[in-house]
Amino acid sequence: MLELRRLVLICEFARRGSIAATAESLGYSPSAVSQQLVALERETGTALIDRTARSAELTDAGRRLVTHAERILSMVEEAESDLSAHAASPSGRVVLTAFPTAAVAFAPALARTLRRYTELTLRLGQSRSGRGMREVQSGEVDIALVDDWYGRVGDNDSLRVFPLLYDPLVLVVPRKHRLADPEVPLDLRELRDEPWMATPDGEPSRLAVDRLFVDVGGTRPTPWEFEGLGTILSLVAKGIGIAAVPALALAAGVRGIAVRQFAGNPVGREVLAVARGSSVHRPSVSVTLRAIHVAARYLAADLDPVRLAER
């Protein structure tokens, strides 16, 4: 009979593409991973990994086994969820990951809501854009908060997606800037020569800023580039420049800035929660998803430009 632990290993190998990356992901040594994959080959009676001096890749049989293994592991998780659904209260550990802005914004409300469940523990980490869904798919985390700037994220065979918020770009300026006065008209075309600051070229929020200027025509400003929206907000507060940032970044509570909303339907992103379909009925995951929706309502109430997603 096939061991579930080894099925997890070969699925992770299929995702990571190498013995070393699989070992790092799961916290094993490369030799231990190799030994377990060899043992899995003995169990199946066929070669699953094509090994060379410098690389290793799945054979056709290995790829077929991964397809079966993913279904088996999903069914095991569904069985665990069904059994735990009859537990008296949520318990165990829930692992949540979020893009950095969401981690800062959602953490206080999540802590307030979930602390009543004394047998439940939460681990909230941060992941860069694009990694959250992969980490849910691989089973590394239970839930991910992800951002979607282009409307491309949706349910698939194994993942459930829950809309939370629409998070538009807003203009942030120093308190003494002329545009800090809400009575002064806001015209992007007149701001091209201002000292702009933005995340590095290629970052999703930077692409969104570029789209703002495309919408009004003409050339885009060439901003100074800084990693992290928190860094950018602190520089604006010190009077060094101006920026356009997602409104959710304001949840960090930076002082010394004024916020202006762009007219019309500004560029923005959807904030979504993603979980495996096989785990959403597990009490610990279910109650955490509810807490995430509660947190989204708090944020929508506290941050004027942010609005709850339509469901």
Side-chain angles (χ1 to χ4, degrees):
M1 184 177 293
L2 301 178
E3 280 198 15
L4 291 179
R5 180 167 53 98
R6 290 170 184 156
L7 295 182
V8 170
L9 266 177
I10 196 166
C11 287
E12 191 67 10
F13 175 82
R15 282 186 286 267
R16 303 295 176 180
S18 73
I19 298 291
T22 301
E24 182 178 1
S25 171
L26 297 177
Y28 298 147
S29 67
S31 61
V33 171
S34 293
Q35 290 169 11
Q36 291 301 312
L37 290 175
V38 169
L40 184 58
E41 288 178 318
R42 286 199 300 268
E43 288 177 347
T44 60
T46 188
L48 304 173
I49 309 291
D50 184 10
R51 299 169 177 80
T52 67
R54 295 187 177 181
S55 65
E57 61 182 27
L58 290 170
T59 63
D60 289 342
R63 284 188 284 272
R64 290 198 303 274
L65 179 59
V66 166
T67 300
H68 291 300
E70 288 174 342
R71 288 201 299 267
I72 291 167
L73 294 171
S74 177
M75 291 173 67
V76 168
E77 186 168 42
E78 287 177 359
E80 291 172 341
S81 296
D82 178 67
L83 292 173
S84 63
H86 295 85
S89 63
S91 62
R93 177 166 130 161
V94 175
V95 182
L96 171 64
T97 190
F99 58 94
T101 309
V104 172
F106 277 78
L110 285 176
R112 283 195 299 268
T113 303
L114 292 175
R115 65 187 176 189
R116 73 188 68 169
Y117 301 104
T118 57
E119 296 181 12
L120 180 71
T121 59
L122 174 70
R123 179 181 181 273
L124 172 58
Q126 297 187 11
S127 59
R128 294 183 64 84
S129 181
R131 282 191 54 87
M133 289 189 69
R134 293 196 295 272
E135 291 174 342
V136 173
Q137 186 87 55
S138 69
E140 296 170 74
V141 303
D142 298 301
I143 305 169
L145 299 182
V146 303
D147 55 358
D148 182 12
W149 292 90
Y150 299 100
R152 295 173 181 169
V153 178
D155 291 346
N156 60 33
D157 290 343
S158 61
L159 298 181
R160 290 279 307 279
V161 175
F162 303 89
L164 300 173
L165 298 168
Y166 183 74
D167 184 22
L169 288 184
V170 294
L171 180 70
V172 289
V173 299
R175 277 280 172 83
K176 295 183 179 180
H177 194 280
R178 61 185 177 83
L179 286 176
D181 182 353
E183 299 300 319
V184 176
L186 175 57
D187 187 343
L188 266 176
R189 287 168 292 192
E190 297 178 0
L191 295 177
R192 289 195 182 92
D193 295 329
E194 293 273 351
W196 280 86
M197 291 173 291
T199 52
D201 198 17
E203 289 285 325
S205 61
R206 170 63 178 279
L207 295 173
V209 173
D210 291 345
R211 284 164 56 199
L212 271 180
F213 284 92
V214 168
D215 290 344
V216 299
T219 58
R220 302 189 304 261
T222 302
W224 284 28
E225 298 179 347
F226 297 92
E227 286 279 1
L229 294 172
T231 300
I232 290 171
L233 288 175
S234 68
L235 292 171
V236 172
K238 289 178 170 60
I240 295 172
I242 67 174
V245 302
L248 201 61
L250 304 176
V254 177
R255 298 181 178 180
I257 62 173
V259 181
R260 298 289 305 272
Q261 297 184 40
F262 296 109
N265 186 25
V267 175
R269 61 184 173 181
E270 298 286 346
V271 179
L272 312 163
V274 180
R276 291 182 301 282
S278 56
S279 73
V280 294
H281 298 299
R282 191 193 315 160
S284 56
V285 173
S286 177
V287 76
T288 304
L289 285 169
R290 288 200 298 272
I292 288 169
H293 281 96
V294 169
R297 289 198 293 272
Y298 283 140
L299 290 167
D302 291 344
L303 303 172
D304 286 341
V306 174
R307 66 176 186 267
L308 286 169
E310 296 181 0
R311 294 182 180 84

